[in-house]
Amino acid sequence: MEDIKRRLCDIVGERFVSDRAEELFFYGRDPGLMPPHSPDFVALPGTVEEVREIVKLAFREGVPVVPMGAGMTLTGLCIPRKGGIVLDMKRMNRILEVNDRARYTIVEGGTPTGALKAYLDAHHPRLRFSIPDSPAATTIAANVMIHGQGRLTQQYGFNSDMVTGLEVVLPTGDVARIGSCSLSPDWFSKGAPLPDLSGLFLGWLGTTGVITKVGLKLYPRKKMREVEIFITDSPDFIPDIIYEITHTEMTEDINIFAQPLPLIFKDNHHVVVYFTGDTDEELEFKKKSVFHALDRFIKNKDGGFMTVGPGMKQSLLDMPQRSASTFADVTKGGGFEYSGPIILVEKYPQCSRKLDELAEKYDLKYHATARIIGRGHAMMFAFSFTFNRADEDMMDRVRAALREASEFALSAGGVFWKPTVDEQRRLLQAMDPVTRRLMQMIKRNLDPSGIMNPGNWEVP
């Protein structure tokens, strides 16, 4: 082990390698409920070549490597389950290019979403990207790698759909360029008209390579944003409400939330609709189109628009929103975790009732959130619970509730998003066997030594 530490120091410099217990403690866990496991070393590479040399070292020595962005997934994906080297990418945080005419950017693999937002605000105010509601330290590479969602997901799909190219260090130490950048200086497409090889890396939770550069689509940034909330007291109306709103194609984003506290929100489902426009007239036209689309619900007294006060409006318009961190403190003790399957919008009523049932059964505070993906093609439904980190019994109850939520989601046709190791196993067991063998073949060919984030996506 001392020899590996010395060679890591030779690659990145002594300052950027650690095996000190107090630092390994933090790199061995995430903010969720997964059990911790310490790495043997932490290394912070500053260049693609340094990543490459570390991976080659790990490949030769058979040492696990776990790439890490900000470690915000909550589901233990960056916890080094078999020890080895945690590759902290935060030094690789440069924004390498913004092509404002072709509307894409190229960033290094450790670039935080907050850094790109600040850079575009300062230098390209007419451009934006799909900002997730995770903390601003979340890296862009990690977000697309887990098929994250953001403010533009209702219009353009998963954030990974907005990737325009990748540079990846393979588990053998080779460097691969994926998309148009494999034969052109321009990063305009991750696939078409070539075969789309980005699927070998996106969704694989860091088990097939280390993303060192990401090309990402940018979109027009309108001058104005607005938000309205439509409420109904029955989850049964939600699918039809979403269908009518998405039919207008007038919205920036659509979220739904339901929670028992504070009491103003109790027993209602809140459809939060975002609009953008360059003029008052454009904004007003879009809002009227949505209002008109929901006329029948209002006339039947099945729902209506609520008044959104200035404070609440500003909170909703924040990017990213801080509601998740606020919710985490409802119970006091700072704990928060959710199971967020991707599932059809028509399953909203069943998901909502299941969440109510679990909260009562396990005596937990809960929050339901749904984000619409595409034109109502699916949604991410979050079964969220808050807990006190000092209360072991409460943490066990949350674990049990999340497990039951996962089982329900799978039985209802959902697919786990950023699954825990346990959820990965259940997915692989339930998966079509030909698909499972295809995954096994891809994994074994890309990572013949099994060094990349072992424990995750281990196909039997």
Side-chain angles (χ1 to χ4, degrees):
M1 282 297 179
E2 273 304 313
D3 186 48
I4 290 176
K5 181 182 179 185
R6 180 182 57 76
R7 284 189 276 173
L8 286 172
C9 292
D10 290 343
I11 295 169
V12 299
E14 191 173 339
R15 183 183 168 200
F16 299 112
V17 176
S18 178
D19 60 354
R20 297 170 62 180
E22 62 271 30
E23 291 182 303
L24 299 186
F25 175 88
F26 286 105
Y27 281 95
R29 63 200 66 225
D30 74 7
L33 286 165
M34 294 301 106
H37 193 286
S38 288
D40 297 299
F41 308 101
V42 177
L44 286 77
T47 65
V48 177
E49 190 55 34
E50 289 179 358
V51 174
R52 188 173 181 232
E53 289 302 317
I54 292 171
V55 173
K56 286 167 68 177
L57 169 65
F59 180 71
R60 284 196 303 271
E61 300 294 335
V63 176
V65 176
V66 179
M68 191 189 92
M72 296 288 183
T73 60
L74 296 175
T75 49
L77 304 182
C78 296
I79 293 175
R81 295 172 52 79
K82 299 185 180 179
I85 305 165
V86 167
L87 209 59
D88 184 335
M89 299 292 289
K90 65 165 60 77
R91 288 179 66 210
M92 297 181 64
N93 60 0
R94 292 182 302 160
I95 296 160
L96 302 172
E97 178 183 344
V98 172
N99 187 323
D100 57 2
R101 290 294 169 179
R103 294 192 179 110
Y104 70 78
T105 183
I106 307 168
V107 302
E108 289 189 316
T111 305
T113 57
L116 180 59
K117 179 180 183 300
Y119 184 84
L120 293 178
D121 286 350
H123 303 286
H124 301 275
R126 297 187 69 192
L127 294 173
R128 63 185 301 202
F129 66 106
S130 186
I131 297 174
D133 280 327
S134 51
T138 302
T139 64
I140 292 162
N143 182 257
V144 299
M145 191 264 296
I146 62 166
H147 295 308
Q149 303 111 53
R151 195 53 68 192
L152 299 177
T153 287
Q154 189 264 317
Q155 296 184 66
Y156 304 110
F158 291 96
N159 287 357
S160 49
D161 293 328
M162 304 170 200
V163 168
T164 64
L166 297 172
E167 180 187 80
V168 184
V169 176
L170 304 180
T172 55
D174 295 320
V175 179
R177 287 199 162 192
I178 305 300
S180 60
C181 63
S182 64
L183 46 79
S184 164
D186 303 322
W187 290 49
F188 54 82
S189 172
K190 65 183 172 69
L194 302 170
D196 188 350
L197 300 181
S198 67
L200 296 174
F201 307 100
L202 302 176
W204 283 86
L205 315 179
T207 64
T208 55
V210 183
I211 296 175
T212 48
K213 291 189 182 71
V214 182
L216 192 69
K217 289 180 181 176
L218 303 174
Y219 296 89
R221 177 179 175 176
K222 299 288 189 176
K223 295 176 181 173
M224 293 177 277
R225 294 180 72 233
E226 258 293 359
V227 61
E228 299 287 348
I229 298 180
F230 190 83
I231 61 172
T232 177
D233 61 3
S234 172
D236 295 323
F237 294 126
I238 293 294
D240 284 345
I241 289 170
I242 297 302
Y243 186 81
E244 295 300 340
I245 296 175
T246 51
H247 185 78
T248 67
E249 297 193 306
M250 290 289 165
T251 59
E252 177 203 47
D253 189 19
I254 306 170
N255 296 327
I256 309 159
F257 76 87
Q259 59 191 58
L261 295 172
L263 291 177
I264 187 175
F265 297 134
K266 190 176 188 303
D267 296 331
N268 281 321
H269 301 263
H270 306 73
V271 182
V272 185
V273 187
Y274 293 86
F275 304 89
T276 59
D278 279 330
T279 63
D280 288 331
E281 290 76 14
E282 181 184 356
L283 211 54
E284 198 59 26
F285 174 78
K286 290 179 175 177
K287 290 168 70 171
K288 282 183 178 175
S289 296
V290 169
F291 292 174
H292 179 68
L294 299 177
D295 267 353
R296 68 181 171 99
F297 298 98
I298 298 171
K299 287 175 180 171
N300 292 337
K301 302 186 186 308
D302 294 327
F305 285 94
M306 67 176 279
T307 301
V308 183
M312 185 177 184
K313 180 172 289 191
Q314 186 53 55
S315 173
L316 291 169
L317 290 172
D318 280 345
M319 292 188 294
Q321 282 191 29
R322 295 175 174 80
S323 56
S325 55
T326 304
F327 173 65
D329 210 32
V330 166
T331 308
K332 305 301 177 188
F336 161 70
E337 187 158 340
Y338 63 95
S339 175
I342 308 301
I343 194 168
L344 292 181
V345 179
E346 66 195 57
K347 305 291 178 69
Y348 181 92
Q350 296 99 307
C351 290
S352 174
R353 292 190 172 99
K354 186 66 182 179
L355 180 55
D356 290 343
E357 174 195 321
L358 292 173
E360 183 175 352
K361 177 178 178 180
Y362 293 101
D363 188 22
L364 295 169
K365 301 287 190 306
Y366 73 91
H367 176 82
T369 310
R371 163 160 269 144
I372 303 303
I373 299 167
R375 295 292 191 264
H377 296 105
M379 67 175 173
M380 186 282 294
F381 186 97
F383 296 81
S384 306
F385 301 101
T386 179
F387 56 88
N388 184 342
R389 291 182 183 280
D391 188 333
E392 284 294 333
D393 176 68
M394 184 180 290
M395 291 172 68
D396 284 342
R397 283 185 277 128
V398 171
R399 289 188 183 100
L402 289 172
R403 182 177 178 82
E404 202 168 320
S406 295
E407 289 167 354
F408 163 78
L410 197 59
S411 68
V415 177
F416 306 142
W417 172 51
K418 54 178 181 179
T420 63
V421 169
D422 181 54
E423 290 175 333
Q424 291 168 34
R425 289 177 184 141
R426 276 183 275 161
L427 282 179
L428 289 167
Q429 287 170 1
M431 186 178 285
D432 171 74
V434 177
T435 308
R436 187 169 59 242
R437 285 201 301 274
L438 187 59
M439 285 185 67
Q440 184 185 61
M441 183 174 69
I442 290 169
K443 182 76 170 60
R444 287 181 178 175
N445 276 279
L446 281 174
D447 185 17
S449 298
I451 62 166
M452 291 301 304
N453 203 2
N456 284 286
W457 280 142
E458 288 193 341
V459 187

